[in-house]
């Protein structure tokens, strides 16, 4: 009795420690708010929104995932939801093992699905509906297991009823339920005909749904909410199927060990005495391996940078870009935005890698996987038609997400289209966490002067372009020129124009723009501009090298001499490293790395 009490206390303690660590890792390590950043789930209260989820199998699961997904906006809430799903899987697995409790591995095994869920959750495109579907399918099987002592006909009716419910609610996870019930009938209850009937049910129900009930494809009828490319999901599904017949082996193994207790070796006695320590180490090691192997890497950094940019936390954007440098085009794009908003774009442009050139300043047309991000610079720089265009693209590609609706409402207010703004605000008013924002901006729609005076929107109003011009999809430099000419007081257009001239090697255009520097508070040309003008001078008249000392200062003259001397050495890894370390933040280094032709 005392041994059982100690065992129960040890199980509770280990489980408590595990799920506390699980929660903290998901909250602080994975950060569920990045799932929200990646997927932008949306949930609207009302019958209209619900109705869209009722006409296909798995719709109810999507509806539940949409409701819970909005809480991922807050990392701690998302971590609590994921931890609850993992705990449900553990309890379901223990229910499946049932009478095998006490056998070898019976305590450790229930933690494996939770660890696999941790691995799946590390992918920021992992749908929450998949995790919920697994919990629902295994939970339905646990309910079915309670009918083991009933006649075969009753069990088949119960399995059919549960199967229909699981299929309509979850879709593809129903297949797991069907295979598990068939395995239970054939291996545990030795009822082969009943097992075959349940396997047949797993094929008939999705096919009938496709052929007679729902307007869906064959693939969706069978595999909706089944991520075929997820190794962790496949392992988890296989584990649950294997656990059904494995109960017999675990129960048998437990009995054999009980009968042979007098013949155990000293090693076995030692392992049995320290089994809780060994099991804790096993579970911890498995969780650590899963966490390391499923770590998102650069994708996480890009999402963190985009998240910080959305929150206008520009210092964090620059810190992340400098510390982790993911090399992604979106990271460079947001870094350049952060440089402008912190007043550093003109001076510190090349303190950060400009691997993508001008494409990392103004996202190219073909980069359409982040339409709302493409809308950001268009909005801030005053190109409202472009901002509206990419917000509409976001509606098509991403959906009616709160952030897209916010963008459409703001652009509509800037364009003076108050009725359109109210339409988008009405949608946001049906959400849980954007309702207050919608009500505040509804007051702006009633009072345009108050909107124009708001500190957040005053710079946007002053940057609005009121002159039409054709957008040049293949040459954003020309668009920036047109924008800067149309509104000479638009600082962002001017600084982006300077940056575009530098990134494309258009030093002749840069030279013409220098006359406007003082109107924006510059007392002298920023360092990258001076470096560009220095080589522009030498490109046009190499004999001016000596005279350049008086024009640009001795420091720049000496630095360029050192750069040219080092560049002239034989190409080696050491030379390239010295160039990067000593001149990596100069315009000269950028020109050499990009093999840029100065014009």
């Amino acid at each position: 009795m005392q041994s059982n009490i100690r065992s129960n206390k040890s199980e509770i303690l280990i489980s408590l420690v595990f799920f506390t660590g699980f929660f903290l890792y998901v909250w602080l390590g994975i950060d569920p708010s990045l799932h929200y950043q990646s997927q932008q789930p949306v949930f609207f209260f009302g019958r209209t929104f619900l109705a869209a989820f009722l006409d296909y199998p798995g719709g109810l699961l999507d509806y539940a995932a949409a409701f819970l997904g909005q809480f991922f906006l807050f990392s701690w809430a998302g971590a609590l939801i994921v931890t609850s799903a993992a705990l449900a899987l553990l309890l379901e697995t223990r229910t499946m093992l049932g009478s095998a409790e006490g056998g070898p591995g019976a305590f450790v095994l229930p933690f494996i699905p939770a660890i696999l869920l941790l691995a799946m959750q590390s992918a920021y495109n992992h749908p929450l509906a998949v995790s919920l579907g697994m919990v629902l399918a295994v939970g339905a099987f646990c309910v079915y297991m309670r009918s083991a002592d009933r006649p075969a006909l009753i069990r088949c009716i119960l399995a059919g009823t549960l199967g229909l419910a699981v299929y309509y609610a979850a879709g593809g996870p129903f297949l797991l339920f069907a295979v598990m019930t068939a395995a239970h009938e054939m291996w545990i209850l030795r009822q082969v005909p009943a097992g075959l009937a349940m396997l047949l049910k797993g094929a008939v129900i999705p096919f009938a749904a496709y052929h007679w009930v729902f307007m869906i494809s064959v693939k969706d009828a069978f595999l909706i909410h089944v991520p075929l490319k997820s190794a962790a999901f496949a392992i988890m599904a296989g584990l649950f199927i294997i656990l059904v017949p494995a109960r017999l082996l675990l129960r048998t193994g437990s009995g054999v060990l009980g009968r042979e207790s007098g013949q155990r070796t000293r090693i076995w006695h030692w392992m049995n005495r320290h089994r809780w320590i060994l099991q804790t180490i096993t579970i911890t090691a498995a969780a650590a391996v899963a966490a390391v192997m499923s770590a998102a890497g650069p994708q996480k950094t890009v999402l963190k940078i985009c998240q910080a940019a959305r929150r206008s936390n520009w210092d964090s954007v620059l810190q992340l870009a400098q510390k982790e440098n993911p090399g992604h085009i979106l990271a460079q794009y947001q870094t350049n935005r952060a440089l402008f908003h912190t007043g550093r774009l003109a001076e510190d442009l090349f303190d950060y890698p400009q691997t993508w050139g001008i494409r990392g300043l103004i996202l190219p047309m073909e980069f359409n996987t982040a339409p709302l991000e493409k809308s950001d610079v268009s909005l801030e720089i005053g190109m409202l038609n472009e901002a509206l265009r990419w917000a509409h693209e976001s509606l098509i590609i991403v959906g009616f997400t709160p952030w897209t609706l916010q963008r459409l409402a703001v652009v509509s207010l800037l364009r003076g289209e108050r009725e359109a703004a109210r339409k988008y605000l009405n949608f946001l008013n049906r959400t849980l966490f954007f309702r207050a924002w919608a009500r505040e901006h509804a007051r702006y729609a009633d009072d345009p002067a108050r909107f124009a005076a708001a500190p957040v929107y005053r710079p946007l109003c002053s940057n609005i372009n009121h002159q039409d011009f054709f957008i040049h999809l293949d040459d954003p430099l020309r668009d920036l020129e047109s924008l800067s000419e149309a509104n000479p007081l638009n600082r962002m257009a001017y600084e982006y124009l300077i940056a575009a001239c530098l990134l494309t090697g258009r030093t002749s255009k840069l030279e013409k723009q220098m006359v406007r520097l003082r109107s924006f508070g510059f007392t002298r040309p920023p360092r990258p501009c001076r470096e560009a003008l220095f080589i522009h001078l030498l490109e046009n008249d190499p004999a001016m090298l000596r005279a350049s000392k008086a024009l640009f200062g001795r420091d720049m003259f000496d630095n360029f001499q050192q750069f040219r001397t080092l560049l002239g050495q034989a190409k080696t890894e050491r030379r390239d490293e010295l160039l990067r370390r000593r001149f990596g933040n100069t315009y000269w280094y950028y020109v050499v790395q990009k093999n840029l032709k100065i014009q």
Side-chain angles (χ1 to χ4, degrees):
M1 177 66 72
Q2 292 180 352
S3 176
N4 289 336
I5 293 175
R6 285 196 298 269
S7 296
N8 290 334
K9 287 183 177 179
S10 298
E11 288 184 12
I12 293 172
L13 179 60
I14 293 173
S15 299
L16 181 62
V17 171
F18 173 83
F19 281 103
T20 301
F22 188 101
F23 171 79
L24 292 175
Y25 178 76
V26 175
W27 178 21
L28 304 174
I30 293 177
D31 189 356
S33 68
L34 297 181
H35 284 265
Y36 192 97
Q37 176 70 35
S38 175
Q39 301 179 37
Q40 300 180 42
V42 59
F43 182 87
F44 298 114
F45 291 99
R47 295 180 180 178
T48 304
F49 184 71
L50 172 62
F53 296 92
L54 300 179
D55 57 358
Y56 66 95
L60 292 178
L61 197 65
D62 283 333
Y63 185 77
F67 176 76
L68 295 174
Q70 64 185 330
F71 291 93
F72 279 58
L73 190 62
F74 311 99
S75 291
W76 67 268
L80 188 61
I81 291 169
V82 175
T83 305
S84 299
L87 178 60
L89 287 173
L90 177 135
L91 295 175
E92 290 170 352
T93 309
R94 285 187 175 174
T95 300
M96 284 180 60
L97 292 176
S99 59
E101 187 175 355
F107 177 74
V108 174
L109 275 175
F111 289 89
I112 302 302
I115 292 171
L116 291 170
L117 179 65
L118 183 73
M120 288 192 291
Q121 205 64 40
S122 296
Y124 292 103
N125 59 350
H126 173 69
L128 179 60
V130 171
S131 301
L132 298 179
M134 184 68 75
V135 172
L136 180 61
V138 179
F141 174 77
C142 291
V143 173
Y144 152 79
M145 281 180 59
R146 294 182 176 274
S147 66
D149 57 346
R150 301 293 180 87
L153 180 61
I154 300 298
R155 293 198 306 273
C156 287
I157 292 174
L158 177 62
T161 304
L162 285 172
L164 285 171
V166 171
Y167 181 71
Y168 180 64
F174 158 75
L175 297 178
L176 174 63
F177 171 78
V179 174
M180 291 173 69
T181 53
H184 188 267
E185 288 289 336
M186 288 189 284
W187 272 281
I188 302 298
L189 302 180
R190 307 295 183 183
Q191 296 292 325
V192 175
L196 292 175
M198 292 181 184
L199 276 181
L200 183 62
K201 169 197 65 181
V204 169
I205 289 179
F207 182 79
Y210 152 73
H211 202 273
W212 290 297
V213 184
F214 302 108
M215 296 182 64
I216 54 176
S217 66
V218 177
K219 179 180 178 181
D220 284 344
F222 282 88
L223 298 176
I224 190 170
H225 298 143
V226 177
L228 297 177
K229 296 182 179 180
S230 173
F233 180 88
I235 294 171
M236 188 189 296
L239 176 64
F240 279 122
I241 294 171
I242 292 171
L243 279 179
V244 177
R247 293 177 60 214
L248 289 176
L249 297 176
L250 289 170
R251 186 164 62 240
T252 302
S254 178
V256 169
L257 289 172
R259 288 193 300 271
E260 296 180 354
S261 58
Q263 302 175 15
R264 293 173 185 169
T265 63
R266 292 175 59 187
I267 295 178
W268 172 256
H269 279 295
W270 183 88
M271 292 178 63
N272 186 51
R273 191 181 310 117
H274 299 89
R275 66 184 183 280
W276 297 115
I277 296 175
L278 296 175
Q279 289 171 339
T280 302
I281 293 173
T282 302
I283 294 168
T284 305
V289 170
V292 171
M293 293 187 65
S294 61
Q299 180 197 18
K300 181 179 180 179
T301 303
V302 174
L303 287 173
K304 287 166 66 177
I305 287 174
C306 290
Q307 182 186 71
R310 183 166 298 283
R311 297 171 177 174
S312 298
N313 194 345
W314 305 116
D315 289 333
S316 292
V317 172
L318 296 178
Q319 290 170 8
L320 286 165
Q322 190 169 51
K323 181 180 179 181
E324 304 187 32
N325 184 25
H328 194 278
I329 188 172
L330 264 181
Q332 182 180 318
Y333 173 77
Q334 301 291 14
T335 299
N336 288 332
R337 283 183 67 208
L339 285 171
F340 169 76
H341 286 291
T342 54
R344 297 174 53 190
L345 181 66
E347 187 70 35
D348 299 334
L349 177 64
F350 296 102
D351 282 6
Y352 298 82
Q354 297 294 330
T355 309
W356 294 90
I358 194 171
R359 294 158 62 88
L361 185 72
I362 303 292
L363 291 174
M365 175 65 182
E366 61 270 19
F367 187 81
N368 58 7
T369 57
L372 200 58
E373 282 74 10
K374 290 189 72 168
S375 175
D376 287 337
V377 165
S378 297
L379 174 67
E380 294 168 346
I381 213 166
M383 299 169 66
L384 295 187
N385 289 343
E386 276 295 282
L388 184 62
R389 170 195 180 183
W390 288 110
H392 282 144
E393 288 289 329
S394 182
L395 278 183
I396 297 171
I397 297 172
V398 185
F400 277 73
T401 69
W403 290 339
T404 299
L405 293 170
Q406 283 181 317
R407 176 58 47 82
L408 288 166
V410 169
V411 172
S412 297
L413 289 172
L414 289 169
R415 288 161 57 94
E417 300 170 349
R418 289 184 286 173
E419 288 306 314
R422 288 190 181 98
K423 178 181 67 174
Y424 302 125
L425 293 172
N426 286 337
F427 274 105
L428 288 170
N429 201 40
R430 290 160 48 198
T431 64
L432 182 60
F433 298 118
F434 295 86
R435 189 175 300 169
W437 188 94
R439 291 174 179 173
E440 177 187 5
H441 285 71
R443 291 193 290 269
Y444 286 151
D446 296 332
D447 188 356
R450 183 181 177 186
F451 172 75
V456 175
Y457 299 116
R458 193 183 305 125
L460 301 183
C461 293
S462 64
N463 282 350
I464 294 176
N465 172 52
H466 296 287
Q467 295 185 19
D468 293 333
F469 58 85
F470 287 106
I471 295 293
H472 299 88
L473 300 177
D474 58 342
D475 190 3
L477 177 58
R478 294 176 63 184
D479 298 334
L480 290 170
E481 285 183 300
S482 300
L483 192 61
S484 189
E485 290 171 5
N487 186 354
L489 299 180
N490 188 334
R491 185 185 186 99
M492 186 173 186
Y494 179 68
E495 291 197 22
Y496 264 60
L497 175 58
I498 288 176
C501 290
L502 290 167
L503 293 170
T504 56
R506 309 287 183 86
T507 53
S508 56
K509 289 182 179 290
L510 177 68
E511 187 177 26
K512 295 176 183 178
Q513 295 297 331
M514 290 298 97
V515 297
R516 299 173 55 198
L517 276 172
R518 291 189 180 277
S519 62
F520 292 100
F522 292 95
T523 57
R524 60 184 299 198
R527 178 179 56 81
C529 295
R530 298 199 306 274
E531 292 170 348
L533 295 174
F534 185 92
I535 58 176
H536 173 74
L537 175 67
L538 299 186
E539 184 78 14
N540 289 278
D541 188 358
M544 290 292 293
L545 179 59
R546 292 294 174 186
S548 65
K549 186 185 301 185
L551 291 173
F552 294 94
R554 183 177 182 85
D555 287 345
M556 182 165 291
F557 176 83
D558 291 342
N559 285 338
F560 183 75
Q561 288 287 61
Q562 294 172 20
F563 176 79
R564 191 167 66 167
T565 299
L566 188 57
L567 186 64
Q569 296 177 6
K571 184 175 177 59
T572 62
E573 289 186 9
R574 175 173 172 74
R575 188 211 70 164
D576 292 345
E577 176 60 22
L578 285 174
L579 275 172
R580 187 194 62 79
R581 191 186 310 163
R582 295 179 58 182
F583 300 100
N585 66 340
T586 66
Y587 184 64
W588 309 324
Y589 182 81
Y590 172 79
V591 169
V592 170
Q593 287 298 104
K594 299 288 289 184
N595 195 22
L596 200 62
K597 183 179 179 182
I598 299 299
Q599 303 176 40

